[in-house]
Amino acid sequence: SYEQIAAAGGGILTTVQATRAASADELFAAAMPRVQALAASGVATIEIKSGYGLDIANELKMLGVARRLGAASGLTVATTLLAAHAVPPEYRDDVDGYVDLICEQLLPAVAEKNLADAVDAYCESFAFSSEQVARVFAKAQSLGLPLKLHADQLSDLGGAELAARFSALSADHLEYSSAAGIKALADSETVAVLLPGAFLTLRETQQPPVTLLRDHGVPIAVATDCNPGTSPLCSLPEAMALAARVFGLTPAECLAGTTREAARALGLGADRGTLEPGKRAGGAPSDAVVLFDGTQESVGNWLGTKDGGGPAKWKATENGALQCVPGSGDIVTKAQFADCQLHVEWSAPSEIKGKSQGRGNSGVFLMGMTEVQVLDNFNNPTYPDGFAGSVYGVNPPMANSLNAPG
């Protein structure tokens, strides 16, 4: 079992040995391909936890590498201190002494260096008791650090209740959480994070209480839990598929669990996770062909169609939009495409002029034949297949959802 492997010095402690022996540059080089793989699948925000150093120097080293990965990849990397992950060999007979080290030395150092966005702990019989975790949490809160918890993965030690009591951002695993624990989560704003990769790898048989989570309205997130010991899973789409197949989540729950609820579990729900005005949008997928990136240089990807062609005369505005120059005609891409997915962002004029099709009106032609309509049709009476997003003259869009101009 997982507990027996840990008691014999394996599992987490095996990775601790390798992490302590590796330099920061070696850890960075080993991690970057995994970051790039996640980015290639469309992931824009990643949480990286420490927890494999288990001493001051190596926990700081891991968090520093995580910060470097965020800067080098262009992704948002949320860092989490997980020093209370396992008891290091040198503190085998003095667990409270290790907790003292975390509280009195490591946490203040992490806060001073701004290396962590949250603090996590593993509440389990062979890791840390609820009382020891509470000490870590109280100190972290005093330093202004948000909290997370590995809760009730292999037994019910009241982890869900503990996470709720401290208003943790998230409680992870939850396979053995009781009805009282789920009720406590519902009464807090703590997000339940389900980790099907670890469940399968450990050959667990008791599933998280998904029905109870639903009945109590607890927000459910889904994550890979990518780690070398219990979840060698580095694909968020695969985690979604497993959550549906193994835990019985609906497709809608899987989508929300990797967007809206995942953002909330990182304390970033006000900034991302849903498509709303003012929130961050993810970057283009790593394999996308970016035809316009807001710069005048990228207008060079286009040709004009008037007067025999030539360079496109449209202009990039100061706010990064591609704007038509009156009288310059249409533009077409220099590159030609067959099957493709097209992503277009556009804005309507701030001042409303004209009526119906006479308002801000344009379109995108696919292969010179089919036009996808772009129109300011906010509170604008016009024919349905002329709405923005329609296949012009053929099909209306699935929804007519536009914000007011300006």
Side-chain angles (χ1 to χ4, degrees):
S1 69
Y2 187 26
E3 184 173 0
Q4 291 169 333
I5 292 171
I12 294 171
L13 295 182
T14 298
T15 308
V16 168
Q17 294 175 1
T19 302
R20 289 180 173 182
S23 69
D25 288 343
E26 288 170 334
L27 292 177
F28 179 89
M32 182 54 84
R34 290 186 282 274
V35 171
Q36 292 170 332
L38 288 164
S41 69
V43 173
T45 303
I46 301 173
E47 180 186 20
I48 297 180
K49 300 184 181 184
S50 64
Y52 293 101
L54 305 188
D55 62 20
I56 295 174
N58 286 290
E59 288 292 302
L60 295 179
K61 177 176 70 177
M62 290 193 72
L63 293 172
V65 169
R67 289 289 196 220
R68 284 177 58 192
L69 288 165
S73 66
L75 303 182
T76 297
V77 173
T79 58
T80 297
L81 174 69
L82 182 54
H85 192 195
V87 180
E90 57 269 30
Y91 282 92
R92 184 187 302 273
D93 299 320
D94 186 15
V95 180
D96 285 327
Y98 180 56
V99 174
D100 290 340
L101 177 77
I102 295 173
C103 294
E104 297 170 9
Q105 298 184 53
L106 182 54
L107 277 168
V110 167
E112 180 182 1
K113 296 175 184 293
N114 190 31
L115 286 175
D117 301 308
V119 172
D120 197 350
Y122 191 14
C123 186
E124 197 56 72
S125 59
F126 56 89
F128 298 91
S129 68
S130 57
E131 292 79 11
Q132 291 164 335
V133 170
R135 287 178 56 200
V136 173
F137 278 8
K139 181 62 178 181
Q141 278 191 332
S142 74
L143 295 169
L145 291 167
L147 307 172
K148 308 168 79 69
L149 184 64
H150 285 50
D152 306 330
Q153 180 185 11
L154 303 173
S155 61
D156 181 13
L157 294 184
E161 293 97 320
L162 180 62
R165 175 157 62 93
F166 279 91
S167 300
L169 291 173
S170 68
D172 302 356
H173 296 291
L174 301 175
E175 280 87 339
Y176 285 83
S177 293
S178 65
I182 301 304
K183 176 63 166 58
L185 292 179
D187 292 337
S188 71
E189 295 185 357
T190 302
V191 177
V193 181
L194 304 189
L195 306 170
F199 178 87
L200 281 179
T201 302
L202 294 175
R203 299 182 180 180
E204 278 296 312
T205 56
Q206 179 153 329
Q207 296 190 7
V210 172
T211 299
L212 277 176
L213 291 170
R214 286 175 178 146
D215 290 347
H216 286 284
V218 178
I220 300 172
V222 175
T224 64
D225 193 23
C226 178
N227 75 83
T230 61
S231 186
L233 177 62
C234 198
S235 167
L236 196 56
E238 288 183 14
M240 296 168 70
L242 288 174
R245 180 66 181 85
V246 179
F247 293 157
L249 267 60
T250 66
E253 287 172 328
C254 291
L255 179 59
T258 52
T259 52
R260 182 185 66 218
E261 310 306 350
R264 291 178 59 184
L266 294 176
L268 298 174
D271 177 60
R272 67 198 69 197
T274 55
L275 297 175
E276 298 180 64
K279 286 196 174 183
R280 290 171 57 112
S286 61
D287 60 347
V289 177
V290 179
L291 296 170
F292 178 71
D293 62 8
T295 66
Q296 189 63 38
E297 288 76 12
S298 62
V299 181
N301 293 321
W302 301 79
L303 295 171
T305 61
K306 194 173 182 180
D307 300 328
K313 296 180 181 179
W314 291 24
K315 300 295 182 182
T317 65
E318 291 183 358
N319 63 357
L322 180 58
Q323 188 173 57
C324 175
V325 174
S328 63
D330 296 339
I331 59 174
V332 296
T333 59
K334 289 181 177 179
Q336 295 183 355
F337 303 93
D339 291 344
C340 65
Q341 294 179 335
L342 180 66
H343 176 81
V344 179
E345 296 180 5
W346 64 280
S347 62
S350 298
E351 182 181 354
I352 298 176
K353 295 182 179 179
K355 297 180 179 179
S356 187
Q357 297 289 303
R359 283 170 54 171
N361 188 351
S362 188
V364 178
F365 281 90
L366 302 177
M367 302 180 187
M369 298 181 291
T370 303
E371 181 184 6
V372 179
Q373 177 73 319
V374 175
L375 173 74
D376 169 19
N377 54 273
F378 182 83
N379 291 338
N380 181 9
T382 186
Y383 44 92
D385 57 9
F387 284 156
S390 68
V391 178
Y392 188 63
V394 180
N395 289 314
M398 294 180 67
N400 177 24
S401 55
L402 276 84
N403 294 316

